[in-house]
Amino acid sequence: MTRTPVNVTVTGAAGQIGYALLFRIASGHLLGADVPVKLRLLEIPQGLKAAEGTAMELDDCAFPLLQGIEITDDPNVGFDGANVALLVGARPRTKGMERGDLLSANGGIFKPQGKAINDNAADDIKVLVVGNPANTNALIAQAAAPDVPAERFTAMTRLDHNRALSQLAKKTGSTVSDIKRLTIWGNHSATQYPDIFHAEIAGKNAAEVVNDEQWLADTFIPTVAKRGAAIIEARGASSAASAANAAIDHVHTWVNGTAAGDWTSMGIPSDGSYGVPEGLISSFPVTCKDGKYEIVQGLDINEFSRARIDASVQELKEERDAVRELGLI
Ligand code: NAD
Ligand code: LMR
């Protein structure tokens, strides 16, 4: 039986993450090796020519699963019939820009895109926001899409999750596949909290295996939380291939499920769990099954974790209040 292609929209398609992402979507890594895709590349007018170049290269790969590419600068066209939307394009912070200016500039992108998703996307639309500030951009888009169930809007903390897996594997001389049940809580920012207290390494409690709270507080947490800045410092540009890889992982897990006994981290609208105010888009431990996710419930949160989760959630509240004041939500 021939499968109906899945419509995948990528914004910021001509950017560096877009370049690392599109070829993997087209080759089947996003949804599965047997799922045909149609790509929509949404750019601003200045990005259209470069997007056309990328589309020529996609053609030249002759991917068997790629059943069409459309390029546009109109969000209503870009999200028409979209089943999956990867919102990558965003306004980066430039020198001298205040946080309010950054939120306002991104509101000008994510509010109309949220509305266009509301008006044009397929009923089963799943949205991943990558463009920073990812959690609050996702909140702006979600607020502009009242007809789409709020839980379909998610923000990416999978890159932080993957970074934490690698750091923990290095420290303990294990492999990343030995590690399960790690969690990123809060915002995709330097306040995020990578939590190993519930994680397991080859079946043993990770915090007990590490047994070094100073390393946790002074090395592990800051290394993971400030990794984005360290990469910008080293590369002169923000992470691109690893960000694209995490976007692939996020959607693949959402659609295809988490492995038995494991969970992942996703920025999702809070239902009030773990004291995170309802509606804030915050990272939680989640399991995925049949295209849906659920927050892992019942975890004991110790004092060390509580203070750090609260600090990151406080930052999310402040971002939400700022965009509310700007009339963006
Ligand atoms: P980039 O500057 O290389 O590309 C961004 C692209 O977006 C550009 O081609 C630009 O023309 C396009 N764009 C801008 N406004 C747009 C709009 N309204 N509609 C459609 N396209 C638009 O940036 P990049 O390196 O690809 O990064 C993109 C975003 O991802 C940045 O905000 C970055 O900070 C963020 N990021 C997030 C994570 C994460 O873990 N959540 C990780 C890395 C990067
Ligand atoms: C990252 O975590 O690599 C990025 O979010 C950094 C950035 O500011 O683009």
Side-chain angles (χ1 to χ4, degrees):
M1 193 178 80
T2 317
R3 289 187 66 159
T4 313
V6 176
N7 295 321
V8 181
T9 302
V10 178
T11 77
Q16 45 152 10
I17 295 177
Y19 194 73
L21 184 59
L22 290 163
F23 297 86
R24 293 193 60 199
I25 299 173
S27 59
H29 290 94
L30 187 78
L31 298 166
D34 56 347
V35 184
V37 290
K38 281 190 175 169
L39 281 171
R40 291 264 174 68
L41 315 189
L42 180 64
E43 259 294 345
I44 50 176
Q46 305 89 291
L48 289 177
K49 187 149 186 259
E52 276 161 21
T54 305
M56 287 161 71
E57 285 203 70
L58 283 161
D59 276 343
D60 295 349
C61 292
F63 289 119
L65 292 173
L66 183 57
Q67 298 208 348
I69 312 171
E70 202 175 326
I71 304 167
T72 180
D73 61 0
D74 179 347
N76 288 317
V77 176
F79 294 114
D80 187 25
N83 307 104
V84 176
L86 303 172
L87 309 192
V88 179
R91 172 78 162 78
R93 191 196 287 263
T94 41
K95 219 175 163 192
M97 203 176 190
E98 297 297 332
R99 203 168 65 142
D101 300 333
L102 180 73
L103 292 171
S104 169
N106 278 295
I109 295 173
F110 287 87
K111 195 171 173 178
Q113 288 185 355
K115 181 167 185 339
I117 288 170
N118 189 68
D119 295 349
N120 300 283
D123 286 347
D124 66 349
I125 180 71
K126 286 181 165 63
V127 181
L128 168 63
V129 176
V130 175
N132 282 319
N135 299 53
T136 297
N137 287 340
L139 182 66
I140 293 169
Q142 181 262 312
D147 303 331
V148 178
E151 72 267 15
R152 306 286 187 74
F153 284 84
T154 67
M156 190 164 93
T157 52
R158 185 63 174 262
L159 179 54
D160 312 297
H161 185 100
N162 289 345
R163 287 168 171 165
L165 284 176
S166 280
Q167 294 301 320
L168 186 58
K170 267 194 204 163
K171 166 76 177 171
T172 56
S174 51
T175 65
V176 288
S177 37
D178 287 334
I179 305 175
K180 310 251 177 300
R181 302 183 174 208
L182 193 132
T183 306
I184 304 294
W185 299 91
N187 201 0
H188 171 68
S189 78
T191 68
Q192 67 177 266
Y193 172 49
D195 178 357
I196 68 163
F197 285 100
H198 304 284
E200 288 176 1
I201 304 177
K204 297 198 181 91
N205 180 272
E208 284 167 20
V209 173
V210 168
N211 194 24
D212 183 350
E213 198 165 299
Q214 194 174 356
W215 174 80
L216 205 56
D218 298 343
T219 303
F220 174 71
I221 296 171
T223 300
V224 174
K226 294 182 189 162
R227 187 71 159 185
I231 285 167
I232 292 172
E233 173 66 26
R235 259 175 40 89
S238 68
S239 60
S242 57
N245 179 65
I248 297 274
D249 283 351
H250 176 115
V251 173
H252 190 273
T253 303
W254 188 359
V255 171
N256 294 300
T258 38
D262 201 4
W263 65 61
T264 189
S265 305
M266 287 169 71
I268 56 169
S270 175
D271 61 357
S273 294
Y274 297 102
V276 181
E278 204 174 332
L280 277 188
I281 298 201
S282 182
S283 188
F284 284 97
V286 297
T287 52
C288 302
K289 199 180 171 205
D290 301 330
K292 296 199 168 77
Y293 59 78
E294 258 180 42
I295 297 176
V296 176
Q297 296 294 343
L299 301 177
D300 274 336
I301 306 297
N302 62 20
E303 254 177 59
F304 182 97
S305 298
R306 188 73 261 168
R308 287 165 173 81
I309 295 171
D310 288 350
S312 196
V313 168
Q314 179 58 30
E315 183 183 52
L316 284 171
K317 278 195 222 164
E318 286 166 16
E319 289 184 12
R320 178 199 56 196
D321 293 347
V323 295
R324 197 175 267 160
E325 228 161 79
L326 289 162
L328 295 170
I329 59 170

